[in-house]
Amino acid sequence: MSEMQQASASAEARAAVREMMTAFEAFKGANDARLGEIEKKAAADTLLEAKVARIDQAVAGAQARLDRVISEGRRPTVEGPSTASRSPSPFHREEKAAFDGYLRAGLGLETKAGLNTGSSSGGYVVPYETERAIERRLMAVSPMREISAVRTTAAGVYKKPVSTAGVVAGWVAETAARPETDPATLSLIEFPAADLYASPAATQSLLDDAMLDLDEWLAAEVEDAFAAQETTAFVTGDGVNKPKGFLAYTTVADAGATWGQIGYVASGAAGAFASTNPADKLLDLIYAPKAQYRPNGRFVMNRKTVSTIRKFKDADGNYIWSPPARAGETASLLGYPVTEIETMPDVAANSLSIAFGDFQRGYLIVDRAGVRVLRDPYSAKPYVLFYTTKRVGGGVQNFDAIKVMKFAAS
């Protein structure tokens, strides 16, 4: 992104922040009036309810524009050997030229170009620069990749030993005997990588355009498709030929949760927040994880749930949701950042619509190195398809770090 584009994006982000702050102040005034009506008459005027809903949509719209500007600003362009600040080596130039020739005209790739054939699904492994560009773009637009731990592996299954019960320690005198302590209890968790694919299409005229950087075009085309599928899987995926989402694990009341289960805090009412002091249950959710996971804790929910919570106040009459104060920051709830993920469930009976915890320590995303591309000029003539695959896995690596709210009485 050029300096002029960065300046324009920064100005647009500041404008979006100002718009959100203005809309939120208007929202607070209208909602205060609504709450006053409810207190006096046990119900608010329908016109006032509609006004609050309309202003709430304006706040959500400003948040969406701010998210878009920030996301676009984080998206990298492909910096291949031809545009890198360093002088490209003959090897990199040859690799780039070979891959461009394959994408544009289906020319065969030679082994000396450093681009070997893919596995049983066919195709060729893309150059390193293109693979990294796809990964960086996914990091910029995927909310789960932004908040979770990400590992790259050369194996099809990533295995990680974890301690489910720490090593026992104790105090002794200087010359006292040192009794043997119990060892840590270890569990081996596995994260198999599954195939994720997309088939962007192009016309031959587009491919013949010498000004088009095909690496950047391919990365941009698969970005949104991969991000949407990944995010759904990381939240609700069943683990069959896809990552296992953190909501797909067995959930039990937090007091009785054991390793391998996600603990939940009940909202206090079936399919809703408690009718009185609803924010209290959110505080209970914050204190459900152990103390070491709270400093980096964050809320995860969708926009509809945020819209409901935006109306809540604490015991002192202060709104518990706050908009970001400046570009690059995120909205906060009770002092903790909020990540909006649209694949989180809407509030309904027994839904798990809110999560809280340290996702960096709680959820692991595994990328298997290597993105493959198969050029297909036959299946959708006159278009050329590029069957692009990458292998991704994921799952909970620390069940103590993530807790959820179940919308139920208990």
Side-chain angles (χ1 to χ4, degrees):
M1 183 179 291
S2 67
E3 292 185 6
M4 183 176 296
Q5 289 174 319
Q6 289 177 345
S8 176
S10 179
E12 188 176 355
R14 289 194 297 270
V17 170
R18 288 194 298 269
E19 179 184 358
M20 178 181 294
M21 297 294 288
T22 301
F24 186 59
E25 289 301 317
F27 170 83
K28 290 194 294 184
N31 193 56
D32 287 346
R34 182 186 71 89
L35 294 175
E37 286 281 315
I38 294 175
E39 189 173 336
K40 290 179 182 179
K41 305 177 182 179
D45 181 77
T46 55
L47 293 177
L48 191 55
E49 291 278 11
K51 181 180 180 181
V52 171
R54 186 171 61 254
I55 299 175
D56 181 67
Q57 289 179 353
V59 175
Q63 176 75 65
R65 283 188 288 277
L66 180 60
D67 292 345
R68 174 183 57 79
V69 173
I70 293 174
S71 177
E72 289 179 351
R74 289 198 302 251
R75 284 175 174 165
T77 56
V78 175
E79 188 174 334
S82 60
T83 59
S85 58
R86 60 179 173 81
S87 176
S89 68
F91 173 81
H92 283 114
R93 286 197 299 268
E94 184 178 20
E95 183 184 73
K96 168 73 170 173
F99 191 64
D100 279 357
Y102 174 67
L103 294 183
R104 292 185 191 277
L107 300 179
L109 299 180
E110 299 179 15
T111 304
K112 66 180 181 181
L115 301 164
N116 52 342
T117 58
S119 61
S120 58
S121 65
Y124 289 88
V125 178
V126 305
Y128 174 78
E129 291 83 359
T130 308
E131 180 183 353
R132 293 301 300 157
I134 293 173
E135 291 176 358
R136 291 197 302 270
R137 281 175 171 265
L138 287 175
M139 186 69 72
V141 300
S142 171
M144 278 298 292
R145 282 185 176 271
E146 186 177 0
I147 65 176
S148 304
V150 181
R151 298 286 183 272
T152 300
T153 177
V157 178
Y158 181 80
K159 299 181 180 181
K160 180 178 180 180
V162 294
S163 176
T164 59
V167 176
V168 177
W171 297 98
V172 293
E174 182 179 0
T175 58
R178 267 65 172 174
E180 183 178 348
T181 60
D182 293 332
T185 302
L186 296 177
S187 176
L188 183 67
I189 53 178
E190 299 183 353
F191 302 91
D195 279 356
L196 175 64
Y197 72 91
S199 294
T203 63
Q204 190 60 51
S205 296
L206 178 67
L207 298 176
D208 290 340
D209 184 356
M211 297 298 293
L212 176 67
D213 187 329
L214 288 179
D215 286 350
E216 184 173 353
W217 172 82
L218 181 65
E221 286 293 305
V222 301
E223 167 191 325
D224 289 336
F226 280 177
Q229 290 294 326
E230 281 189 351
T231 302
T232 299
F234 296 152
V235 175
T236 59
D238 59 10
V240 179
N241 298 324
K242 63 176 69 70
K244 188 167 184 176
F246 63 89
L247 294 185
Y249 291 84
T250 301
T251 56
V252 299
D254 187 53
T258 59
W259 187 263
Q261 301 173 330
I262 299 289
Y264 73 77
V265 172
S267 66
F273 284 96
S275 56
T276 58
N277 301 321
D280 289 355
K281 293 298 183 180
L282 292 171
L283 286 171
D284 291 343
L285 182 60
I286 289 173
Y287 285 94
K290 295 179 180 179
Q292 63 263 37
Y293 304 116
R294 287 197 292 272
N296 294 319
R298 65 175 54 245
F299 285 97
V300 172
M301 64 191 81
N302 68 24
R303 290 186 187 274
K304 288 185 179 180
T305 308
V306 171
S307 179
T308 300
I309 291 175
R310 196 176 283 130
K311 302 179 179 71
F312 293 170
K313 293 184 177 183
D314 62 18
D316 297 324
N318 301 311
Y319 283 88
I320 63 174
W321 183 90
S322 299
R326 58 183 64 88
E329 295 183 353
T330 184
S332 62
L333 175 60
L334 294 168
Y336 290 91
V338 178
T339 296
E340 294 184 2
I341 300 180
E342 290 311 300
T343 53
M344 287 291 289
D346 292 339
V347 174
N350 297 317
S351 66
L352 305 173
S353 302
I354 302 176
F356 177 85
D358 185 344
F359 280 78
Q360 276 283 334
R361 298 171 69 177
Y363 195 87
L364 177 65
I365 297 171
V366 176
D367 288 322
R368 183 177 180 183
V371 175
R372 299 188 301 274
V373 175
L374 173 63
R375 189 180 193 274
D376 176 11
Y378 307 109
S379 299
K381 293 183 293 187
Y383 301 101
V384 179
L385 302 180
F386 295 92
Y387 178 69
T388 307
T389 60
K390 70 188 299 287
R391 301 193 68 184
V392 185
V396 174
Q397 63 176 343
N398 188 330
F399 293 88
D400 294 330
I402 300 175
K403 304 297 179 181
V404 297
M405 176 170 286
K406 182 178 181 179
F407 281 80
S410 60

